[in-house]
Amino acid sequence: MANHPFTYQPLPVRVVFGPGRRQQLAAEAQRLGLKRVLVLSTPGQANTAEHLAALLGGLAAGTFSGATMHTPTDVTEQALRVVHDLNADGVVAIGGGSATGLSKAIARRTGLPQIILPTTYAGSEMTPVLGETSGGRKTVIRDQAVLPKTVIYDVELTLTLPPAVSASSGMNALAHAAEALYAHNGNPLVSVLAEEAIRALGQSLPRIRHSPQDLEARSQALSGAWLAGSVLGSVDMALHHKLAHVLGGTFILPHAELHAALLPHTLAYNAQAAPEAMNRIARALGRPDEGGPDPTGRNAPQLVAELNRRLGIESALKNLGLPEAGLDEATTLALQNPYANPTPLEREALRELLQRAWSGQAPR
């Protein structure tokens, strides 16, 4: 790829990384000139949101703990009323993709600056991408206006993330990096970052699964998620993300688990058309003690499927709540306004991909 022309635009996001760095929250808010900050979270993170409000002290205007999966527009409207009632001049989001999505939706409508403190490996905090759900359909936009001003990566905030959730969240991030490797507008720097993200996540997630308090493994996973989010924000995504948006928004499936279960199949769909990307993925997931590609010769889709199994991740979409009767509808929706993809989208092949993912079969 280095011999081909490309364009690269770094994203203007300030990153504060390290254990305990949440203590810098008030200083970051002051740096942005904020005086009345609303803290956002899901219901499950309400206590953590109150903790951040305490760290903000007099800069905290209040909390809103109603964020939910896939960023429903009705929840955004509720939060906007709170923003208005409290006269908030900025927002802080604590959590994963749900809290970050709500923060982005508010920023897009109000122009308010955001500070994000991730507690998962979703990576969406580093992207100008917002997916919103309304009327059973998910709409995805790319707009620099939804980028946060600052992201604070405090690994201590991830220590309570359950191992199973850590695993699926990390595979969600790995999917971002994998698709960046065959993006039609990719470039050499993105490829290097994406491969390193896959390597970091592939090495750290099994350790976290068995030792959830391993601070070194948690830090490695968080840095991998940061890199994966960065590359997701720098290039366009392809078939994998299109399917995840369609299935997640239409059938309200769990976001991270959906990404993890789909990824071996979407990689297999694109394998022949993107051999360099597959080689990079296989090299990144190779055994660390071998210092190179997997010595058994397994390919990228197989290695990702095996990593899912090692992490105990559900492989069948039917067990995530996708009805078999919805596969035809999902195929039709995926073919509408398709994302650029290395392998052309064909209805029969796409329907077969979804059937195999639904039943939990090995990637073709």
Side-chain angles (χ1 to χ4, degrees):
M1 183 175 288
N3 294 326
H4 300 286
F6 64 88
T7 300
Y8 176 65
Q9 175 65 54
L11 298 175
V13 180
R14 176 178 167 89
V15 172
V16 180
F17 193 105
R21 297 305 295 274
R22 65 187 180 280
Q23 300 294 334
Q24 297 294 115
L25 177 58
E28 290 299 317
Q30 290 172 335
R31 190 182 69 84
L32 295 172
L34 304 181
K35 297 180 179 179
R36 295 189 57 79
V37 181
L38 177 64
V39 182
L40 308 169
S41 77
T42 60
Q45 291 274 18
N47 289 338
T48 311
E50 293 293 345
H51 168 64
L52 292 190
L55 290 179
L56 285 165
L59 300 179
T63 63
F64 177 85
S65 296
T68 191
M69 194 168 54
H70 302 302
T71 319
T73 54
D74 58 338
V75 174
T76 300
E77 293 300 324
Q78 295 174 29
L80 286 169
R81 288 193 286 271
V82 176
V83 168
H84 180 268
D85 292 344
L86 296 177
N87 195 29
D89 61 1
V91 291
V92 166
I94 176 76
S98 297
T100 299
L102 177 60
S103 181
K104 288 179 171 183
I106 291 172
R108 186 168 186 247
R109 289 163 173 78
T110 64
L112 294 182
Q114 314 165 69
I115 301 174
I116 311 292
L117 292 90
T119 62
T120 73
Y121 308 122
S124 60
E125 66 278 352
M126 290 302 297
T127 78
V129 178
L130 169 63
E132 296 184 287
T133 305
S134 179
R137 293 289 183 268
K138 191 166 187 175
T139 302
V140 179
I141 63 97
R142 180 178 284 263
D143 186 345
Q144 294 266 339
V146 306
L147 280 171
K149 297 297 184 182
T150 301
V151 176
I152 300 177
Y153 288 106
D154 186 340
V155 67
E156 293 174 357
L157 292 174
T158 69
L159 289 175
T160 57
L161 191 67
V165 180
S166 299
S168 59
S169 177
M171 292 304 295
N172 179 13
L174 196 148
H176 304 334
E179 283 225 305
L181 286 171
Y182 51 71
H184 73 96
N185 55 347
N187 63 68
L189 179 58
V190 161
S191 294
V192 169
L193 296 179
E195 184 174 345
E196 180 54 35
I198 294 169
R199 180 177 294 106
L201 291 163
Q203 292 179 1
S204 60
L205 293 178
R207 292 171 58 191
I208 292 169
R209 181 72 178 174
H210 296 291
S211 301
Q213 299 302 304
D214 186 334
L215 195 66
E216 182 182 351
R218 290 282 188 182
S219 295
Q220 186 181 23
L222 198 58
S223 65
W226 166 32
L227 294 176
S230 297
V231 298
L232 173 65
S234 300
V235 296
D236 293 336
M237 294 291 100
L239 172 64
H240 175 85
H241 283 74
K242 176 66 174 184
L243 286 178
H245 294 152
V246 165
L247 295 172
T250 305
F251 302 100
I252 316 300
L253 305 183
H255 183 79
E257 291 87 341
L258 170 61
H259 273 279
L262 271 178
L263 185 58
H265 301 279
T266 51
L267 290 180
Y269 191 95
N270 283 319
Q272 290 189 353
E276 181 182 349
M278 300 303 140
N279 288 338
R280 283 181 174 270
I281 294 168
R283 182 170 63 198
L285 293 177
R287 298 178 184 174
D289 57 335
E290 296 287 341
D294 184 83
T296 66
R298 286 168 293 186
N299 60 28
Q302 292 171 333
L303 287 168
V304 171
E306 180 180 307
L307 181 56
N308 277 341
R309 287 192 295 271
R310 291 175 63 196
L311 297 174
I313 292 175
E314 175 59 56
S315 63
L317 297 185
K318 63 181 180 182
N319 295 331
L320 297 181
L322 176 62
E324 187 171 18
L327 295 180
D328 288 331
E329 179 186 4
T331 302
T332 298
L333 291 172
L335 291 168
Q336 295 175 0
N337 303 314
Y339 299 176
N341 193 66
T343 301
L345 301 190
E346 298 178 357
R347 178 177 293 275
E348 184 177 343
L350 191 55
R351 180 62 173 77
E352 180 185 359
L353 181 161
L354 288 170
Q355 186 70 47
R356 296 181 73 87
W358 180 85
S359 61
Q361 294 176 268
R364 190 169 183 81

